[in-house]
Coordinates of all heavy atoms in Angstrom, one line a residue:
V557 N 354.7 72.6 68.8 CA 355.3 73.2 69.9 C 355.1 74.7 70.0 O 354.8 75.3 71.0 CB 356.9 72.9 69.9 CG1 357.6 73.8 70.9 CG2 357.1 71.4 70.2
R560 N 351.6 75.5 71.2 CA 351.5 75.4 72.7 C 352.2 76.5 73.4 O 351.6 77.1 74.3 CB 352.1 74.0 73.1 CG 351.3 72.8 72.8 CD 351.8 71.6 73.4 NE 351.0 70.4 73.0 CZ 351.3 69.6 72.0 NH1 352.4 69.9 71.3 NH2 350.5 68.6 71.7
L564 N 350.7 79.2 76.3 CA 351.1 78.7 77.6 C 350.9 79.8 78.7 O 350.4 79.5 79.8 CB 352.6 78.3 77.5 CG 353.2 77.8 78.8 CD1 352.5 76.6 79.3 CD2 354.7 77.5 78.6
M582 N 351.1 73.7 89.4 CA 350.9 74.2 88.0 C 351.6 73.3 87.0 O 351.0 73.0 86.0 CB 351.5 75.6 87.9 CG 350.7 76.7 88.4 SD 351.6 78.3 88.0 CE 352.3 78.7 89.6
L583 N 352.8 73.0 87.3 CA 353.6 72.1 86.4 C 352.9 70.8 86.2 O 352.8 70.3 85.1 CB 355.0 71.9 87.0 CG 356.0 71.1 86.1 CD1 356.2 71.8 84.8 CD2 357.3 70.9 86.9
E584 N 352.3 70.2 87.3 CA 351.6 68.9 87.2 C 350.4 69.1 86.2 O 350.2 68.2 85.4 CB 351.2 68.5 88.6 CG 350.5 67.2 88.6 CD 350.2 66.8 90.1 OE1 351.1 66.8 90.9 OE2 349.0 66.5 90.3
E585 N 349.6 70.1 86.4 CA 348.4 70.3 85.6 C 348.8 70.6 84.1 O 348.2 70.0 83.2 CB 347.6 71.5 86.1 CG 346.3 71.7 85.3 CD 345.3 72.6 85.9 OE1 345.5 73.0 87.1 OE2 344.4 73.0 85.2
L586 N 349.8 71.4 83.9 CA 350.3 71.7 82.5 C 350.8 70.5 81.9 O 350.6 70.2 80.7 CB 351.3 72.8 82.6 CG 350.8 74.2 83.0 CD1 352.0 75.1 83.3 CD2 349.9 74.8 81.9
T587 N 351.5 69.6 82.6 CA 352.1 68.4 82.1 C 350.9 67.4 81.7 O 350.9 66.8 80.7 CB 353.1 67.7 83.1 OG1 354.1 68.7 83.3 CG2 353.6 66.4 82.5
A588 N 350.0 67.3 82.6 CA 348.8 66.4 82.4 C 348.0 66.9 81.1 O 347.5 66.0 80.4 CB 347.9 66.4 83.6
A589 N 348.0 68.2 80.9 CA 347.3 68.7 79.7 C 348.2 68.7 78.5 O 347.8 69.2 77.4 CB 346.8 70.2 80.0
K590 N 349.4 68.2 78.6 CA 350.4 68.2 77.5 C 350.7 69.5 77.0 O 351.0 69.7 75.8 CB 349.9 67.3 76.4 CG 349.6 65.8 76.8 CD 349.2 65.0 75.7 CE 348.9 63.6 76.2 NZ 348.3 62.7 75.2
M591 N 350.8 70.5 77.9 CA 351.1 71.9 77.5 C 352.6 72.2 77.8 O 353.2 73.1 77.2 CB 350.3 72.9 78.3 CG 348.8 72.9 77.9 SD 348.6 73.4 76.2 CE 349.4 75.0 76.2
I592 N 353.2 71.4 78.8 CA 354.6 71.7 79.2 C 355.1 70.4 79.7 O 354.4 69.6 80.3 CB 354.6 72.8 80.2 CG1 356.0 73.3 80.5 CG2 354.0 72.4 81.5 CD1 356.1 74.6 81.4
V593 N 356.4 70.2 79.5 CA 357.0 69.0 80.0 C 358.2 69.2 80.9 O 358.6 68.3 81.6 CB 357.4 68.1 78.9 CG1 356.2 67.5 78.2 CG2 358.3 68.8 77.9
V594 N 358.8 70.4 80.9 CA 359.9 70.7 81.8 C 359.7 71.9 82.6 O 359.2 72.9 82.2 CB 361.2 70.8 81.0 CG1 361.6 69.5 80.3 CG2 361.1 71.9 79.9
E595 N 360.2 71.8 83.9 CA 360.0 73.0 84.8 C 360.9 74.1 84.4 O 360.6 75.3 84.7 CB 360.2 72.6 86.2 CG 361.6 72.1 86.6 CD 361.7 71.7 88.0 OE1 361.1 70.7 88.4 OE2 362.4 72.3 88.8
G596 N 361.9 73.9 83.6 CA 362.8 75.0 83.1 C 362.1 76.0 82.2 O 362.5 77.1 82.0
T597 N 360.9 75.6 81.7 CA 360.1 76.5 80.9 C 359.2 77.3 81.8 O 358.9 78.5 81.6 CB 359.2 75.7 80.0 OG1 360.0 74.9 79.1 CG2 358.3 76.6 79.1
L598 N 358.7 76.7 82.9 CA 357.7 77.4 83.8 C 358.3 78.5 84.6 O 357.8 79.6 84.6 CB 357.1 76.4 84.7 CG 356.0 76.9 85.7 CD1 354.9 77.5 85.0 CD2 355.6 75.8 86.7

Side-chain angles (χ1 to χ4, degrees):
V557 166
R560 284 187 185 95
L564 183 57
M582 280 185 258
L583 184 62
E584 185 177 304
E585 184 171 345
L586 292 166
T587 301
K590 298 180 181 175
M591 289 298 301
I592 191 172
V593 291
V594 294
E595 64 184 65
T597 302
L598 179 61

